[in-house]
Amino acid sequence: MNIITILTDFGLQDGYPGVMKGVIYRIAPSVQIVDISHQVPPQNISRGARILERSYAFFPPGTIHIAVVDPGVGTKRRPMAAKIGDYFFVGPDNGIFTAPLLRAEGEGKAIECVELNQPEYWLENVSHVFHGRDIFAPVAAHLANGVALQNLGIPIQNPVLLNLPQAQIFENQILGEITDVDHFGNLSTNIPGNWLSKYSPGNLTFCLGDVIIHGLNKTFGERPEGEWVAFIDSDDYLALAIVNGNAASKAQCGAGTPMIVKIAT
């Protein structure tokens, strides 16, 4: 059974994800559909890209991932399908597939992208504002039915990549920033966990504005309730939290807020 995942910023109250599923099932009734999230903040391509990065590789090889965070829908931005490493991807060519593209490139895996320009694999009437329903869902379903990627469009050699901020490491400090805020208000950063593992946890101090955290912990329970804690999250990046509290609300910060790690010698 083929698997198709769906990631969008559509929310749940208006029925748009359900409409996409209906389109898929009409074309490929035997597929299994998995919702990754429909709560991406509206038009936030970077957040959608981070959620996709966290999720896609945990699925079996051959899974088809639809990702639709598409503020440029109906404009000259290209609709795209791709085989990136072991997975297929369908959605707008606006950078949302940056993580799998960079990972496949770094691992030397094959990348094949096409601009979708074959309307026979779309719905008959294509809206200017709902390509998730009219183009991406049917294309994914046809892929699941065995249609070759090459039949869906013309090759793309330069898929769009987001300019994701990179942390910088120096002799006595690391400069990074907050990249994500999760449901609990925990703060993820772009500082890789393996950068910190070579230092003694007690020699690290984490600075977020006026917030100072001394020492790196393994998990929330190593600090008392209400205290700040720094730890390596499940994606292997530095994260900050308040034990049983909301760090983002407390610090009044979000994606883009600078983060400094000081290293004692």
Side-chain angles (χ1 to χ4, degrees), residues 111-125:
I111 299 172
E112 184 177 4
C113 305
V114 299
E115 179 180 355
L116 301 174
N117 70 342
Q118 299 299 314
E120 61 265 38
Y121 298 110
W122 309 350
L123 293 193
E124 183 176 356
N125 298 309

Side-chain angles (χ1 to χ4, degrees), residues 110-177:
I111 299 172
E112 184 177 4
C113 305
V114 299
E115 179 180 355
L116 301 174
N117 70 342
Q118 299 299 314
E120 61 265 38
Y121 298 110
W122 309 350
L123 293 193
E124 183 176 356
N125 298 309
V126 176
S127 162
H128 293 295
V129 294
F130 198 179
H131 287 183
R133 176 193 67 192
D134 301 333
I135 298 178
F136 302 135
V139 162
H142 285 298
L143 276 171
N145 280 346
V147 173
L149 180 69
Q150 298 86 348
N151 292 343
L152 299 172
I154 58 175
I156 293 175
Q157 304 299 332
N158 59 338
V160 172
L161 298 175
L162 297 177
N163 185 19
L164 300 175
Q166 302 296 314
Q168 296 177 284
I169 186 167
F170 302 96
E171 183 177 356
N172 295 315
Q173 67 177 2
I174 300 171
L175 304 180
E177 64 181 61

Side-chain angles (χ1 to χ4, degrees), residues 1-5 23-24 27-31 62-67 79-84 86-91 97 112-114 116 118 120-122 135-153:
M1 178 177 291
N2 289 315
I3 298 174
I4 296 176
T5 77
V23 170
I24 292 168
I27 299 169
S30 66
V31 300
T63 295
I64 301 163
H65 295 291
I66 304 174
M80 184 174 81
K83 176 72 160 55
I84 304 172
D86 298 324
Y87 301 95
F88 291 93
F89 298 87
V90 182
F97 301 123
E112 184 177 4
C113 305
V114 299
L116 301 174
Q118 299 299 314
E120 61 265 38
Y121 298 110
W122 309 350
I135 298 178
F136 302 135
V139 162
H142 285 298
L143 276 171
N145 280 346
V147 173
L149 180 69
Q150 298 86 348
N151 292 343
L152 299 172

Side-chain angles (χ1 to χ4, degrees), residues 233-248:
D233 67 15
S234 60
D235 297 322
D236 199 31
Y237 284 91
L238 171 68
L240 308 178
I242 294 178
V243 179
N244 295 343
N246 189 307

